[in-house]
Amino acid sequence: MTENLGVVAHAAGDLRVQALPEPEPTADEAVIAIAYGGVCGSDLHYWLHGAAGTSILRAPLLLGHEVIGTVERSAADGSGPAVGTPVAVHPATPHGVDGVPYPAERPNLAPAGTYLGSAAHFPHCDGAFARRVALPTRMLRVLPDGIDPRDAALIEPAAVAWHGVARAGDVAGKRVAVIGAGPIGLLAVAVALHHGAAEVVATDIAEGPRDRALTLGAAAVLDARESEEIAGLHADVVIESSGTVPGLHAAVDAAARGGIVVMLGLQRAGDVDFPAAQAITRELDLRGALRFNDEIDEVIAALADGSLTVRGVVTHVLRAADALEAFEIARDSAVSGKVLLDFRT
């Protein structure tokens, strides 16, 4: 058996590929042989800054929540899929807090929820960037035949995009603008088109992401610095996926009067500058979007039947042993879309 290599963030600037102990599953956990893992923005932040928003590293953290793999050892209690079954992973576990209400049908809003590869709580919740990990069977989703494994590796971020577009309501027949054409923005383009948007326009500062948005079917792309053109979009729905303050301003500018702005990109912690007067006088609906709930199942079905097209989002695949190089590539959105780690080699 090959060494169980994992990708661990120890502190800002300290990312290590290191040998891990073999997983010791509890009765309701299966051992998953990870095939691919996608490098997420939060993974990059833990590496670069030792924190992702308000989630601060206080101990080494096994990164990774965008993973697919195969069941290597089934759960002892008989739950979950059998050995050899290919699976995707839903990385969330909702937890409530006494006295803090949240809608039961929206477990993504659970105030003490955990997520694989997150330092939001202590002890941290280790992720799944390793050759073998033990995961609760409730997290596992069986992958149908026919989904390309590299496309399947996009299931988790595609579910994030699916949830974000769904927060806008019915987009069929509408003009949709997507601010920021990084991996989540690209997937938002794909999802909006899947949902019947009449037209999707994407913006980004860099040429590479704009080209990828065109490949996915965007009707047009704009340089994010072309403020007059963005203000002339008059989009019914705007998906802000950059997570930047300029992106938030651009989203308000791009929205038609009475339009909807979905804040999908996570802004930095603390106060941010926001054009409130413009949002008020245009009567814009501002809606947050956090992760996802059961949308992962809809994404899997749409990939399986071919109605959701995500080709072109993945731009690089590197061995897990070369994780530091992969992270360096992933941090440059001008040259990379989604970067995958291959844990099979």
Side-chain angles (χ1 to χ4, degrees):
M1 182 180 291
T2 57
E3 191 174 44
N4 190 23
L5 289 184
V7 181
V8 181
H10 284 255
D14 187 358
L15 184 74
R16 306 180 196 178
V17 179
Q18 61 189 70
L20 302 177
E22 289 300 321
E24 298 181 0
T26 59
D28 66 344
E29 292 181 330
V31 175
I32 308 302
I34 300 298
Y36 289 114
V39 179
C40 176
S42 63
D43 299 317
L44 293 175
H45 281 296
Y46 286 126
W47 162 52
L48 292 169
H49 311 298
T54 58
S55 302
I56 299 171
L57 282 179
R58 288 186 277 170
L61 175 67
L62 179 65
L63 297 177
H65 54 266
E66 301 178 8
V67 293
I68 61 163
T70 303
V71 177
E72 188 170 276
R73 192 191 323 168
S74 57
D77 67 359
S79 64
V83 170
T85 304
V87 293
V89 175
H90 189 319
T93 301
H95 295 286
V97 172
D98 288 344
V100 182
Y102 69 95
E105 71 278 10
R106 297 164 72 180
N108 61 312
L109 301 182
T114 59
Y115 216 73
L116 295 180
S118 171
H121 304 282
F122 190 81
H124 299 331
C125 183
D126 275 331
F129 274 0
R131 284 180 173 154
R132 290 173 293 280
V133 295
L135 295 173
T137 56
R138 59 177 170 72
M139 288 186 173
L140 306 180
R141 301 293 190 273
V142 175
L143 290 176
D145 294 336
I147 301 180
D148 184 283
R150 295 189 185 190
D151 291 347
L154 294 169
I155 285 171
E156 193 275 349
V160 172
W162 195 290
H163 180 76
V165 173
R167 289 284 293 135
D170 186 4
V171 299
K174 295 181 179 178
R175 169 178 269 198
V176 176
V178 176
I179 307 299
I184 293 293
L186 292 173
L187 291 166
V189 169
V191 171
L193 291 170
H194 172 276
H195 287 12
E199 181 183 39
V200 179
V201 178
T203 76
D204 203 279
I205 291 174
E207 183 178 357
R210 297 198 300 269
D211 288 344
R212 288 187 278 277
L214 286 173
T215 299
L216 278 167
V221 293
L222 298 177
D223 188 316
R225 293 161 293 197
E226 298 296 334
S227 57
E228 289 188 10
E229 292 186 34
I230 290 172
L233 286 175
H234 305 295
D236 304 299
V237 171
V238 183
I239 309 293
E240 201 304 294
S241 65
S242 74
T244 66
V245 173
L248 194 56
H249 281 254
V252 172
D253 284 345
R257 292 173 181 272
I260 296 168
V261 175
V262 177
M263 296 173 286
L264 180 58
L266 185 63
Q267 295 287 330
R268 60 176 170 80
D271 295 337
V272 297
D273 181 54
F274 177 73
Q278 188 176 359
I280 292 167
T281 57
R282 291 188 180 186
E283 287 196 355
L284 301 183
D285 284 353
L286 307 177
R287 303 178 184 180
L290 177 67
R291 295 172 178 163
F292 59 93
N293 293 308
D294 293 331
E295 291 90 347
I296 189 171
D297 301 314
E298 297 174 87
V299 168
I300 291 171
L303 286 174
D305 67 21
S307 60
L308 178 63
T309 302
V310 296
R311 292 296 169 87
V313 177
V314 173
T315 57
H316 296 77
V317 181
L318 286 84
R319 299 183 311 147
D322 299 321
L324 188 55
E325 180 185 353
F327 274 53
E328 288 283 2
I329 293 170
R331 72 184 293 192
D332 187 352
S333 63
V335 301
S336 67
K338 178 59 67 177
V339 177
L340 301 183
L341 299 176
D342 185 343
F343 287 89
R344 302 169 302 171
T345 58

